[in-house]
Amino acid sequence: MSFATVQFLPSTTAAAATTNVTRAAVVSSHGYRQCRRNSLFISLPGNQLHFRRRLQIRAVDAAQPYDYEAQISNTFYSSMKLKIAVVGFGNFGQFLAKAFVRQGHIVMAYSRTNYINIAQSIGASFYTDPHDLCEQHPDVILLCTSIISTEAVLRSLPIQRLKRNTLFVDVLSVKEFPKNIFLQLLPPHFDILCTHPMFGPESGKESWRGLPFVFDKVRIGDEDSRVSRVERFLDIFTKEGCRMVEMSCAEHDKHAAGTQFITHTMGRVLEKLQLETTPINTKGYETLLDLVENTASDSFDLYYGLFMYNKNAMEQLERLDLAFESLKKELFGHLHEKLRKQLFGKVEEEAGERPMLSKLPKNGYALPAPSSEPLETQNN
């Protein structure tokens, strides 16, 4: 790099100068006029003029602002940004998009319903045509559709307009179903990441800290750039404080049937009872009301998808039905014993045997065959 040559007045001359320092004014002298173009003069005592050439930049590159560290920092920051296309911009898609934008990523949204105003308020761009969206060459295609519409939406995307190694991600509540759909419909040069944020707009409205985020790297290319892209996407949820859980899709569905599906089932059963708040609500009853509110805010399509597309859900329904029937028979058994005491004054030999709730096998074990007497007895 070259530097400009700079000339300054000697300190002794500057000290002797008066404060009347100015650029040359228009004068009649031709020589002076020529001199003033590239000089400045200082009025010295005795009305003498002392000329010095102005500061001149003699190297163009020296005048250019150049901050190497800032340039490197900007380059690094840009490389960490992801272009994320959210397909399905409903409540959950908007919920995730806010976090993406907050962390500096570029968000593009597409949905059958026009959400352009909401997208703009979040800081995302909105597209009404999937061809226009795919032509933006996003790094990530994030499917935020309902479970039952996932296949149709995926088939409708013009994936031939995408980059050949685009990363496809889903956030469905079931995992084996989207995994199989991705593997069936996407060419082998696309990457696949199946995820399930175990929270939603209600449970995660305050914070995501400590909330589980399940993921399975189904198919990721070996190139460093593709591995890095997956990690950058997962890092979004890590930065939000999620508890990251890497788990196979099959294992997820097995656990989800015994947790999420049962939770939604109980919430919808209680909703059918039309529970209302009372002046004497207990903490337990308040918890039930909260459960109804949380599950009722989700669409029935979600609940149906949890049942239809998780092969473990039917077993949980059968277990729930058996548990309820066993509980009723336990109650009626106690009532029968009470009546016998009142009628006969003493309990017969079998009165020493107390009916108990049948113990159900653990998840994953076969359910017992239907029986007319599912109750177990235990001697006191």
Side-chain angles (χ1 to χ4, degrees):
M1 178 184 296
S2 59
F3 296 90
T5 301
V6 182
Q7 294 180 339
F8 295 96
L9 286 173
S11 58
T12 54
T13 307
T18 65
T19 58
N20 184 20
V21 178
T22 180
R23 296 183 183 276
V26 178
V27 294
S28 57
S29 170
H30 174 72
Y32 184 81
R33 188 179 296 115
Q34 289 293 108
C35 181
R36 73 184 181 93
R37 291 176 182 172
N38 296 310
S39 305
L40 59 81
F41 69 89
I42 301 176
S43 177
L44 298 175
N47 294 325
Q48 296 180 354
L49 294 179
H50 186 84
F51 291 93
R52 288 287 186 185
R53 293 186 63 82
R54 293 179 179 177
L55 178 83
Q56 289 186 332
I57 303 298
R58 296 185 178 179
V60 175
D61 59 342
Q64 304 301 312
Y66 188 76
D67 189 337
Y68 183 75
E69 291 184 356
Q71 186 182 49
I72 292 297
S73 177
N74 291 336
T75 302
F76 176 77
Y77 179 72
S78 298
S79 69
M80 297 301 292
K81 284 185 179 181
L82 289 172
K83 292 173 65 176
I84 304 174
V86 180
V87 178
F89 203 57
N91 288 336
F92 196 71
Q94 296 168 22
F95 171 66
L96 295 179
K98 292 176 182 177
F100 300 159
V101 173
R102 183 167 60 245
Q103 293 194 25
H105 299 287
I106 301 171
V107 177
M108 301 168 286
Y110 163 73
S111 191
R112 290 177 299 177
T113 304
N114 192 333
Y115 291 113
I116 186 170
N117 291 333
I118 295 178
Q120 290 177 348
S121 67
I122 293 175
S125 55
F126 187 83
Y127 295 85
T128 58
D129 190 309
H131 291 265
D132 295 336
L133 177 74
C134 292
E135 286 176 352
Q136 301 304 312
H137 293 168
D139 300 307
V140 181
I141 295 286
L142 180 66
L143 292 185
C144 291
T145 60
S146 66
I147 299 174
I148 60 178
S149 65
T150 298
E151 182 175 357
V153 171
L154 184 59
R155 289 183 180 275
S156 70
L157 292 179
I159 59 176
Q160 72 277 6
R161 297 183 181 276
L162 296 169
K163 293 185 295 185
R164 286 177 55 82
N165 64 351
T166 302
L167 172 63
F168 275 76
V169 184
D170 84 284
V171 289
L172 300 185
S173 299
V174 294
K175 293 273 66 73
E176 285 198 282
F177 170 67
K179 171 187 174 180
N180 294 333
I181 291 297
F182 280 159
L183 291 174
Q184 176 186 345
L185 299 181
L186 295 178
H189 48 75
F190 285 117
D191 289 346
I192 299 173
L193 175 68
C194 289
T195 76
H196 182 195
M198 304 292 291
F199 51 90
E202 285 297 321
S203 56
K205 62 184 177 182
E206 299 297 335
S207 171
W208 298 2
R209 185 163 299 280
L211 299 177
F213 181 88
V214 181
F215 65 95
D216 184 8
K217 300 175 183 178
V218 177
R219 186 176 69 199
I220 307 298
D222 296 331
E223 293 90 339
D224 291 343
S225 60
R226 296 166 76 170
V227 174
S228 173
R229 178 178 58 191
V230 171
E231 296 304 325
R232 279 181 285 155
F233 180 82
L234 293 174
D235 193 52
I236 296 173
F237 299 89
T238 301
K239 289 180 178 178
E240 293 292 329
C242 292
R243 179 166 57 86
M244 308 299 286
V245 182
E246 187 167 7
M247 179 183 294
S248 71
C249 292
E251 187 178 2
H252 166 275
D253 283 2
K254 181 179 177 181
H255 290 305
T259 56
Q260 189 180 27
F261 178 71
I262 287 294
T263 300
H264 278 259
T265 298
M266 296 308 301
R268 291 191 176 275
V269 168
L270 294 173
E271 182 187 17
K272 299 296 183 183
L273 295 178
Q274 299 182 349
L275 301 180
E276 296 180 351
T277 187
T278 71
I280 55 172
N281 286 358
T282 62
K283 291 293 185 181
Y285 187 71
E286 291 285 354
T287 301
L288 293 181
L289 293 179
D290 290 340
L291 175 61
V292 173
E293 182 181 358
N294 288 336
T295 54
S297 63
D298 293 319
S299 67
F300 187 80
D301 282 349
L302 170 61
Y303 179 60
Y304 177 73
L306 293 175
F307 169 73
M308 185 67 181
Y309 297 99
N310 189 337
K311 63 182 181 181
N312 304 286
M314 178 60 75
E315 178 188 345
Q316 294 301 322
L317 276 183
E318 293 174 351
R319 290 172 57 83
L320 185 61
D321 185 59
L322 179 59
F324 187 61
E325 288 299 322
S326 298
L327 183 60
K328 287 196 301 182
K329 289 183 179 181
E330 184 179 4
L331 288 174
F332 295 154
H334 278 276
L335 177 62
H336 179 70
E337 180 182 348
K338 206 62 141 173
L339 290 175
R340 290 183 66 85
K341 287 182 179 180
Q342 292 178 1
L343 290 174
F344 301 105
K346 65 176 181 178
V347 183
E348 299 178 354
E349 294 181 1
E350 68 271 20
E353 300 178 347
R354 182 178 180 181
M356 296 181 63
L357 175 65
S358 295
K359 294 181 179 179
L360 297 177
K362 294 182 179 180
N363 282 328
Y365 292 87
L367 293 173
S371 171
S372 58
E373 295 184 5
L375 295 179
E376 297 176 354
T377 59
Q378 174 181 321
N379 291 330
N380 291 331

